[in-house]
Structure formats: structure tokens, C-alpha cells
Amino acid sequence: PGTDPPRGQNGVQGKPVRVGTRRSQLARIQTDSVVSMLRELYPDLHFEIAVAMSTTGDKILDTALSKIGEKSLFTKELENALEKNEVDLVVHSLKDLPTSLPPGFTIGAVCKRENPLDAVVFHPKNCGKTLNLLPEKSVIGTSSLRRAAQLKKKFPQLEFRDIRGNLNTRLKKLDEKEDFSAIILAAAGLKRMGWEHRIGQLLGPEDCLYAVGQGALAVEVRAKDQEILNMVSALHDADTVLCCIAERAFMKRLEGGCSVPVAVSTLLKDGQLYLTGAVYSLDGSDSLKETMQTSVNYPQQSEDGPNDDVQHVGVTAKNVPSQAQEAAENLGVELANLLLSKGAKHILSVARQLNDAH
């Protein structure tokens, strides 16, 4: 009860379902993939994609992301459209969504995660190489403090420099100029763009832990819009939901954002959820890393109680056992507390100050 999909000839209560998206090619591809899943699930509904939103993060291209100092760089404009009822749902990369959403919004679906690892794309002249085979002082482009901090420590002979712009722009900068020997991007984005062949090296967790939520798509909706919430909740992938709740809870407890290097890796196996989390100084010289685990092996409870719409770090997932979600959230908080007890706050506040000063 309570989760029957809305029915109607051509939309929810006869209206088309309007989907908001950013203008970038990757954002469009991600939105289209979610809409095609929804069309398959609800053939009677009519979905309309409302494009044309350039967000702050898309417009300010000459400043490092970590310097703009805005938590919801790529999401604010889309949330405004949701708030004004101009769209009914918005598709984001989960890693772009802050761990605390503005009041009135929730993540109504977290889709099955694509490969969450980071990937190295090499300049054509370095084809076939790996990072440790590049000549000394080779310049690597990345806009992420998290990637730079980890890789500086692992590959001290390389130089890391900021590169901004959408995927197309960054690949163009790499290929057409001699400024960079390689750039680091999320494998998931490259795959979705159909550029998997450009991946020269995948960085496993031992080289580079990934960003919270990396590789997963999130569907943001109005928290009170029961019909839309019920409709999109069919897209939830339970394993991805639990991993991402743990990751987001870890980040939230540490109060991490774009401006500090916080990284994670999760594994769900045989009902056990393993979370590895780390914090780094900007140059990677100082770091703390720990792993914890918890059981998330709980049955789905069928009672339709008042706890229906409990959010866990911004996620509403009615069709994932609530005890499992709680366990995942607690795991993230406990792991963050462990790192905080070992001095994570100092590492992060120094990183934040240095980053602000640059």
C-alpha cells in the first residue's frame, strides 16, 4: 500500500511529468537515461524534458570549483524550478548534491551505480602509459582537491594543475594543447558519454578513493509530492542506496564539501556494508584513513506507518528496509567520529584555510 504508481492517460493526473536538466551534454545524457527507465516502467505517462538551465557551476569557468564556495553549484537553479512547480523532478549526479538539501526537497531515487572509480585520460602522445610511467614533472589536470591530494602523495614526481569546464571542454584542452600530459575524470561520466575507449588507467581505491556518491544518479523531487515520489521510487537500487547513505552520512558528519579533500570507498557483500573513509591535507602529506563495517541484512517491513517518509541524509527510499538505511547512516557517522577522534578536524580546517587563502 502507498507505493502504487500513479496512473493516468498521459501524465500524473492527466498532466505530463516535467523533468528538469542542466544544459551540458552529460547532464542531458543522464537525464535521458532516467527518463527512458521511467517510460519503460510507466508507458501510460507522458514525460517532457525541460532543458536550458545553465547553473552557477556551468557559468563560472575561470575559477576552481573549490573556490566558488557555493555548496549547490550545479543544483540551485534546478531546485528553483522545482520549487516554482515548473518541473516535477530533476536528475543530478549524486556527487553534486549537498548532504543537506534545502527544506522541501528530497532525493526520491538513487539509480544503480555506474563504476565509481576515477580514470586517467592521457594526451594522445602518452597513449599506452600509466601515471608512474610519465616523465617527471608531467602536468596532470584535475579540478578536484580530493584527487589531487591523494595523487600528489602517490606520485610526488608529477605536477597537478586545475582544469575546468565540462567533459567535452576538458578533453579538448587535453588533446589540442600540450599543457597537460593527462587528466583525471570520473569513469562513470566517460562511460555515459560513450568515451570509455579514452580511459587509459582506472584508479582503484588503493590509488585514489572516490568522491561521495560518485557514479550514481539521483532524482530530486519535492518532498511533499507523494505521487511523483512514489513514481520515481521504483528506480531505487537498494545496494546503491545503502552505500551512498553511508558515504553521505560520513561526509555530513565531517562537514566536508567541495573545499576539502574527503574520499570514500564502499563495498556491500553478503549483507555486510564496508565503508572506507579518508581525509587529506591539500598536498596529501597528512591523512587519516579507516574502514568500518556493519550488517545491513534486514527484511523489508510491510507496515504502513507514520515513518514512511523518513529521510536519511536527504534520501527517501521507502522500498529499502528502514533498519538497513539506519544502519548505513550510523556507519557513516561512526566512521567520521573515529576520524574526528584522531584529528580529522584539524586536517580539514587547515585544508579549508589554505584553499580559501589561495
Side-chain angles (χ1 to χ4, degrees), residues 43-331:
D44 316 359
L45 297 187
H46 178 58
F47 294 90
E48 276 175 12
I49 297 181
V51 192
M53 305 193 191
S54 277
T55 62
T56 314
D58 294 317
K59 290 176 194 149
I60 309 178
L61 288 178
D62 51 357
T63 312
L65 285 180
S66 54
K67 304 276 191 304
I68 304 172
E70 165 72 66
K71 268 254 172 56
S72 42
L73 276 184
F74 292 113
T75 56
K76 190 101 195 93
E77 283 79 354
L78 300 175
E79 282 170 347
N80 291 345
L82 257 185
E83 197 164 20
K84 296 185 193 139
N85 275 357
E86 294 167 355
V87 295
D88 300 305
L89 56 112
V90 181
V91 179
H92 304 280
S93 292
L94 181 57
K95 72 171 181 180
D96 291 340
L97 278 174
T99 50
S100 299
L101 297 181
F105 299 113
T106 188
I107 296 167
V110 180
C111 306
K112 190 172 170 54
R113 191 176 213 162
E114 184 55 79
N115 185 337
L117 300 180
D118 287 314
V120 189
V121 178
F122 291 92
H123 187 284
K125 68 170 189 249
N126 295 317
C127 210
K129 288 196 172 135
T130 53
L131 286 178
N132 50 1
L133 293 175
L134 288 175
E136 209 161 308
K137 298 264 187 281
S138 291
V139 177
I140 313 300
T142 171
S143 56
S144 152
L145 296 177
R146 171 190 59 81
R147 290 170 182 151
Q150 293 182 80
L151 296 170
K152 276 175 188 169
K153 184 167 188 184
K154 187 99 183 163
F155 304 99
Q157 75 282 17
L158 301 176
E159 285 183 19
F160 293 85
R161 216 171 283 161
D162 224 42
I163 185 168
R164 283 289 318 280
N166 59 35
L167 282 184
N168 312 51
T169 314
R170 281 189 248 179
L171 278 177
K172 215 173 142 123
K173 281 183 188 169
L174 171 71
D175 291 344
E176 295 180 3
K177 296 183 173 164
E178 297 284 321
D179 299 354
F180 298 98
S181 300
I183 57 176
I184 317 284
L185 300 165
L190 288 163
K191 192 167 176 188
R192 291 189 183 115
M193 295 285 278
W195 295 336
E196 220 175 339
H197 62 282
R198 289 299 309 264
I199 297 177
Q201 182 181 3
L202 272 178
L203 299 172
E206 64 289 343
D207 290 322
C208 194
L209 296 175
Y210 41 83
V212 166
Q214 184 156 305
L217 296 182
V219 182
E220 190 179 14
V221 299
R222 290 180 289 274
K224 294 258 183 292
D225 196 338
Q226 218 54 52
E227 268 190 309
I228 296 288
L229 195 52
N230 287 343
M231 178 191 73
V232 301
S233 68
L235 297 174
H236 270 305
D237 175 71
D239 287 6
T240 304
V241 168
L242 295 174
C243 288
C244 291
I245 284 178
E247 293 171 15
R248 285 172 64 79
F250 172 72
M251 173 92 134
K252 184 176 184 177
R253 178 70 188 92
L254 288 175
E255 296 169 6
C258 272
S259 58
V260 286
V262 171
V264 293
S265 164
T266 38
L267 173 69
L268 184 49
K269 199 177 170 197
D270 303 329
Q272 288 287 317
L273 178 58
Y274 301 85
L275 172 64
T276 300
V279 300
Y280 302 89
S281 58
L282 289 191
D283 64 359
S285 59
D286 208 357
S287 66
L288 284 169
K289 176 167 135 186
E290 294 288 344
T291 302
M292 286 174 94
Q293 72 188 87
T294 189
S295 169
V296 286
N297 206 358
Y298 294 98
Q300 175 65 303
Q301 287 163 322
S302 56
E303 81 274 6
D304 207 25
N307 297 340
D308 243 16
D309 289 353
V310 178
Q311 288 194 28
H312 293 276
V313 274
V315 180
T316 303
K318 300 178 192 188
N319 44 357
V320 178
S322 56
Q323 286 166 292
Q325 294 184 60
E326 257 161 61
E329 183 166 6
N330 290 337
L331 176 65

